[in-house]
Amino acid sequence: MNRIVRNFINDAILTGKKAVVVGTGKSGLAAARLLDVLGADVRVADRDEAVTEEKLGALAGKVELVTGPHDKAHFADADIIVFSPGVPVKKLAPVLEGIPPQNMVSELEFASWFIEAPVLAVTGSNGKTTTTTLISAILEHAGRRVFTGGNIGVPLCEYLLDMDPAEIIVLEVSSFQLQNCRLFKPHVGLFLNFSANHLDYHEDMDEYLDAKLMLFARMTGEDTALLHESLHPLLDGRSFTNAHVEWFGPTDRFEAPHLPGEHNRSNVEAAWQAVKRFGVTEEQAAEAIRDFTSLPHRIEPVTEKRGVLYVNDSKATTLDAALAAVRSFDRPVRILMGGVWKGGDVAQFARDVRDRVVHVGLYGGSREVLEPELKRHFPVTWDETLELAVKRQAAMASPGDVVLLSPATSSFDQYTGMAQRGADFKRVAGGLDD
């Protein structure tokens, strides 16, 4: 158990305090567990009336569970409220009225109070997971003890309770997590890119950007903010950090055979600029980058049938991510798109990919958003399911084509998440005739 957590327990700092955790995802439950260990009187609130005590696991019977529409009574007696990532806090304003803002924090913020090791945090609209994982791979190759988590893998609260102390904490952080942070401060903060995303959650692009910039708000001159060169128009002249600021972009510094595309050349350079702050040599970085393989569902080659390559990029939930995937290929691309719309400029996307895309296969949701503009530039078909769309493209494809699942949407119209969507694509592609 973390030393500062033990001090909180020994000094009874939260003993008997009323804590409310909003959301029963893994981050919320990890926060509830930490609060329980710290001696707080914990209530877990979830809008989903189907959530039962069974969902609480080891916390069942130890904490109070309330479900259904949030009510003022759920929060009125709270000394601290911890929000799970993705909880729409602004929509809760009526039931949170009168509660001091300093009493409301995200799980990331709450966990950060107990951290001693330096933090390297990665944010951006696209490429966060690949870059975060690459950074950890380089640091581990160089012999550092690393914890990797946050928006991927293990929640930070769980690390504090169950894992050996790390020398460096590497976190992927989302706008959802950052929006309710005030004191969280990484030693190195990395901002990869910014494009329309999560506009089903944020009011507008300004709110989305403000949330991202919370990563840098508490940094000092001893810390480093690494920013992609594409962010100059947004950030030049804007006061958002006291950190030392450096800019990066794509380079050919390293050989990265498993990370294709210009966007990954930027991600690789970003990773290097981050890890060198922790004593990693360029030779150590080069070795780790050369051996690093791309993660599942991220421009992942699945199979080649009759000269047609099938590629799973289910993680591409924005138009910018889909654009990066298309630009990774020097072959004609048949792109599969569809799902729950999150925002973006479809007309600009169409102009940017018209030299490589030969057909757009839509499926599922967002047809009404995507089809009107895309059909101005490409042949467009629509199928009810991804399976039907894959089979249609397979029937039409010529040797040398790429059938690319890069949906530019979230998956929740037909799947539980992007991983299930990618697995379904792999199943269908793998079952096609040779």
Side-chain angles (χ1 to χ4, degrees):
M1 184 182 293
N2 172 278
R3 182 185 65 84
I4 300 177
V5 172
R6 289 190 181 279
N7 289 343
F8 262 65
I9 295 170
N10 294 337
D11 295 341
I13 293 173
L14 287 179
T15 299
K17 299 293 185 182
K18 188 65 182 183
V20 179
V21 176
V22 187
T24 56
K26 63 181 181 180
S27 292
L29 292 179
R33 185 167 161 241
L34 177 57
L35 284 161
D36 178 65
V37 168
L38 292 169
D41 180 12
V42 182
R43 175 184 299 136
V44 179
D46 198 299
R47 289 181 301 174
D48 186 355
E49 294 180 347
V51 172
T52 66
E53 289 272 332
E54 185 178 359
K55 181 76 177 287
L56 300 178
L59 291 173
K62 300 178 69 177
V63 305
E64 178 189 1
L65 174 66
V66 294
T67 62
H70 294 306
D71 187 274
K72 278 190 175 184
H74 298 163
F75 305 99
D77 58 348
D79 296 297
I80 180 173
I81 300 171
V82 180
F83 298 106
S84 297
V87 170
V89 179
K90 286 194 172 183
K91 293 181 181 179
L92 291 177
V95 299
L96 299 174
E97 186 178 0
I99 296 174
Q102 64 269 24
N103 289 16
M104 300 183 284
V105 298
S106 70
E107 182 266 341
L108 175 69
E109 168 84 353
F110 174 56
S112 73
W113 298 349
F114 304 93
I115 288 174
E116 296 182 278
V119 173
L120 194 168
V122 180
T123 198
S125 299
N126 302 298
K128 296 187 295 295
T129 301
T130 295
T131 307
T132 301
T133 308
L134 175 60
I135 285 169
S136 293
I138 297 170
L139 290 169
E140 288 170 352
H141 180 78
R144 307 297 193 273
R145 294 193 316 276
V146 179
F147 166 73
T148 308
N151 197 46
I152 56 172
V154 179
L156 198 51
C157 283
E158 189 172 327
Y159 157 77
L160 293 169
L161 289 167
D162 296 336
M163 303 181 72
D164 293 334
E167 293 178 78
I168 304 165
I169 293 173
V170 181
L171 301 176
E172 175 185 319
V173 291
S174 69
S175 60
F176 300 155
Q177 294 170 304
L178 290 167
Q179 196 165 28
N180 294 292
C181 284
R182 288 183 302 277
L183 301 177
F184 175 64
K185 185 185 84 70
H187 177 56
V188 176
L190 183 52
F191 196 170
L192 295 175
N193 46 57
F194 184 75
S195 62
N197 198 356
H198 301 307
L199 296 182
D200 52 345
Y201 176 90
H202 294 291
E203 285 185 2
D204 51 34
M205 291 289 283
D206 288 338
E207 181 186 296
Y208 179 37
L209 179 60
D210 287 343
K212 290 290 191 188
L213 293 179
M214 287 301 296
L215 179 65
F216 307 100
R218 289 287 179 174
M219 295 173 74
T220 71
E222 296 180 354
D223 305 315
T224 301
L226 297 171
L227 311 173
H228 191 271
E229 59 192 14
S230 64
L231 299 170
H232 273 296
L234 284 173
L235 302 182
D236 282 351
R238 179 168 181 160
S239 178
F240 64 94
T241 188
N242 291 318
H244 171 65
V245 173
E246 292 190 15
W247 302 86
F248 68 91
T251 73
D252 293 317
R253 188 192 308 270
F254 298 103
E255 178 188 353
H258 305 295
L259 294 170
E262 182 176 350
H263 67 295
N264 274 324
R265 291 196 291 117
S266 280
N267 293 340
V268 167
E269 181 64 18
W272 160 241
Q273 293 299 331
V275 299
K276 74 179 186 180
R277 267 76 188 177
F278 296 90
V280 175
T281 68
E282 191 165 337
E283 181 180 5
Q284 289 170 325
E287 291 171 352
I289 292 165
R290 186 172 56 248
D291 294 338
F292 184 82
T293 56
S294 60
L295 299 169
H297 314 299
R298 294 158 177 84
I299 316 183
E300 176 191 14
V302 173
T303 187
E304 188 156 353
K305 300 286 183 75
R306 299 182 179 181
V308 178
L309 178 64
Y310 293 82
V311 177
N312 168 28
D313 192 39
S314 182
K315 184 62 172 67
T317 60
T318 68
L319 288 171
D320 271 21
L323 172 61
V326 170
R327 286 179 169 172
S328 299
F329 299 100
D330 292 323
R331 301 166 61 167
V333 173
R334 295 175 171 273
I335 187 170
L336 297 164
M337 305 175 71
V340 179
W341 183 242
K342 297 168 65 180
D345 188 338
V346 181
Q348 184 61 54
F349 171 80
R351 290 191 291 270
D352 289 341
V353 301
R354 61 189 172 192
D355 60 330
R356 303 193 191 191
V357 169
V358 296
H359 194 106
V360 177
L362 301 179
Y363 69 92
S366 299
R367 179 184 185 183
E368 71 284 357
V369 177
L370 295 166
E371 186 171 29
E373 190 60 46
L374 292 175
K375 71 181 182 182
R376 298 174 186 270
H377 303 272
F378 316 103
V380 177
T381 53
W382 180 85
D383 290 283
E384 185 174 351
T385 67
L386 175 58
E387 179 167 1
L388 292 173
V390 173
K391 290 179 176 178
R392 183 194 292 268
Q393 294 305 314
M396 295 190 296
S398 301
D401 288 356
V402 176
V403 176
L404 170 68
L405 172 64
S406 198
T409 62
S410 72
S411 58
F412 299 120
D413 60 332
Q414 298 183 346
Y415 298 98
T416 59
M418 69 87 187
Q420 188 189 47
R421 175 172 62 185
D424 196 31
F425 174 79
K426 293 164 75 171
R427 175 189 65 81
V428 177
L432 295 170
D433 292 336
D434 290 316

